[in-house]
Amino acid sequence: MAYVITDSCVACGTCISECPVEAISEGDIYKIDPDTCIECGSCAAVCPNDAILPPQ
Ligand code: SF4
Ligand code: SF4
């Protein structure tokens, strides 16, 4: 399981530098590699758009 970036992402880039394992990649909508994410929650805590959801 991993955190997930939703369509609410506006590609602001705030989350990418917060990830300790570099699981986030850039794009029109940013993505989290589920095999790399360690579920720390750091990205979700800084997203200004609440676009990152915890594992469901
Ligand atoms: S901080 Fe949120 S809105 Fe910004 S790039 Fe990351 S997921 Fe997208
Ligand atoms: S939850 Fe932590 S490890 Fe997973 S993508 Fe976000 S910052 Fe990276």
Side-chain angles (χ1 to χ4, degrees), residues 5 8-16 30 43 46-52:
I5 296 176
S8 298
C9 174
V10 294
C12 71
T14 304
C15 58
I16 199 163
Y30 279 40
C43 55
V46 298
C47 179
N49 237 30
D50 291 331
I52 307 178

Side-chain angles (χ1 to χ4, degrees), residues 2-3 15 18-24 32-33 36-44 52:
Y3 278 68
C15 58
E18 298 297 320
C19 182
V21 293
E22 298 183 9
I24 303 173
I32 293 172
D33 177 358
T36 306
C37 176
I38 56 171
E39 302 177 30
C40 72
S42 298
C43 55
I52 307 178

